[in-house]
């Protein structure tokens, strides 16, 4: 199916564990993004990528790692999860310029 | 410091009336603006956009107004419907990534 998909939808993990959130898009959009949504903060940019093998930090990158070996995939890894990383994570993509972003359905991550 | 502000965390409106959601920005380089709507357990979806060369853009029940001198934009929904109940995000761009506001939760009461 065409679109942008995130997996898993829900994840519970323990403090200190590594966890990877997956994002896959089928449009061959150049740009992909990871946001976290927290009450009172809205959507905050974690990392973004302008193309395969090109990534850059957003507003809140600490504790996260990304990679983009293929255009269609943009995984987000929490190297050592902390409770403050409990959040809803959204992946988005766009062809660039002033084209709006298309968002995935989100991953709700709980760190206990 | 937030570059895009939505100072009303929530808004309640009666069905059939007008909903007005406000957004302020601080970066004068922003020249393109978007509104997104988000339902619970779903990703945000694009609603309407406006370029800085315009001061109004209309799409059905949704109209966005831009006041560049005041660095202010607003989203009008007329008439409001219960299905419009959602969180609305304002986003702004100056040619790079879009910066999102914190959102306003709209509740349309039947």
């Amino acid at each position: 199916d065409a679109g942008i998909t995130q997996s898993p939808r829900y994840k519970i993990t323990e403090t200190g564990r590594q966890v990877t959130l997956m994002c896959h898009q089928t449009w061959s959009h150049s740009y992909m993004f990871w946001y976290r949504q927290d009450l009172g903060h809205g959507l905050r940019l974690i990392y973004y990528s302008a193309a395969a093998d090109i990534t850059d930090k957003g507003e809140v990158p600490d504790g996260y790692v990304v990679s983009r070996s293929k255009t269609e995939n943009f995984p987000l890894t929490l190297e050592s999860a902390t409770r403050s990383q409990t959040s809803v994570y959204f992946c988005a993509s766009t062809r660039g310029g002033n084209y709006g972003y298309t968002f995935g359905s989100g991953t709700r991550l709980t760190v206990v | 410091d937030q570059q895009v502000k939505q100072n009303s965390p929530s808004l309640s409106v009666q069905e059939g009336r007008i909903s007005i959601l406000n957004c302020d920005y601080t970066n004068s380089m922003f020249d393109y603006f978007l509104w997104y709507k988000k339902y619970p357990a779903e990703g945000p979806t694009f609603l309407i956009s406006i370029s800085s060369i315009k001061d109004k853009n209309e799409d059905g029940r949704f109209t966005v107004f831009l006041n560049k001198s005041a660095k202010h934009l607003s989203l009008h929904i007329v008439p409001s419907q219960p299905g419009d109940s959602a969180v609305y995000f304002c986003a702004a761009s100056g040619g790079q990534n879009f910066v999102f506001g914190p959102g306003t939760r709209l509740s349309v009461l039947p």
Side-chain angles (χ1 to χ4, degrees):
Chain A
D1 285 342
I4 183 165
T5 55
Q6 293 183 235
S7 61
R9 285 300 308 270
Y10 303 92
K11 176 74 177 179
I12 300 174
T13 191
E14 294 178 338
T15 302
R17 289 199 179 259
Q18 181 181 83
V19 61
T20 296
L21 310 185
M22 305 301 293
C23 180
H24 175 79
Q25 52 104 355
T26 60
W27 297 296
S28 298
H29 282 168
S30 296
Y31 291 85
M32 295 187 74
F33 307 84
W34 274 106
Y35 286 88
R36 58 179 288 173
Q37 183 194 7
D38 303 290
L39 195 63
H41 293 281
L43 295 165
R44 291 186 293 175
L45 182 63
I46 304 170
Y47 268 96
Y48 65 99
S49 168
D53 296 322
I54 300 175
T55 62
D56 212 341
K57 295 178 180 179
E59 182 185 356
V60 288
D62 293 343
Y64 302 95
V65 174
V66 293
S67 62
R68 195 157 175 218
S69 56
K70 292 184 178 181
T71 299
E72 60 266 30
N73 296 324
F74 191 39
L76 175 74
T77 297
L78 287 68
E79 295 183 297
S80 178
T82 65
R83 288 200 180 91
S84 65
Q85 292 177 310
T86 292
S87 187
V88 181
Y89 292 84
F90 289 101
C91 178
S93 72
T94 182
R95 66 180 72 179
N98 284 330
Y99 286 97
Y101 299 174
T102 302
F103 285 85
S105 298
T107 295
R108 181 175 291 275
L109 176 68
T110 302
V111 183
V112 298
Chain B
D1 195 25
Q2 283 186 337
Q3 297 187 73
V4 179
K5 303 177 184 180
Q6 294 177 258
N7 292 323
S8 298
S10 63
L11 176 68
S12 292
V13 171
Q14 209 68 34
E15 180 180 4
R17 305 294 289 269
I18 183 171
S19 295
I20 301 176
L21 294 94
N22 294 305
C23 177
D24 296 288
Y25 60 96
T26 58
N27 190 337
S28 58
M29 299 301 290
F30 288 154
D31 61 2
Y32 203 81
F33 306 88
L34 308 174
W35 282 94
Y36 278 81
K37 179 167 73 172
K38 184 186 177 306
Y39 292 121
E42 295 183 12
T45 55
F46 170 76
L47 192 56
I48 194 168
S49 65
I50 189 165
S51 163
S52 61
I53 62 173
K54 292 185 173 182
D55 54 19
K56 176 183 174 181
N57 189 26
E58 195 171 350
D59 183 2
R61 296 185 298 113
F62 302 90
T63 303
V64 57
F65 295 92
L66 175 62
N67 181 333
K68 290 184 287 295
S69 60
K71 296 192 181 68
H72 176 83
L73 63 158
S74 60
L75 174 68
H76 292 209
I77 307 174
V78 185
S80 301
Q81 300 173 353
D84 296 328
S85 296
V87 176
Y88 290 78
F89 292 101
C90 169
S93 170
Q96 294 217 344
N97 302 325
F98 279 94
V99 178
F100 287 80
T104 296
R105 181 178 300 278
L106 174 66
S107 299
V108 180
L109 309 173

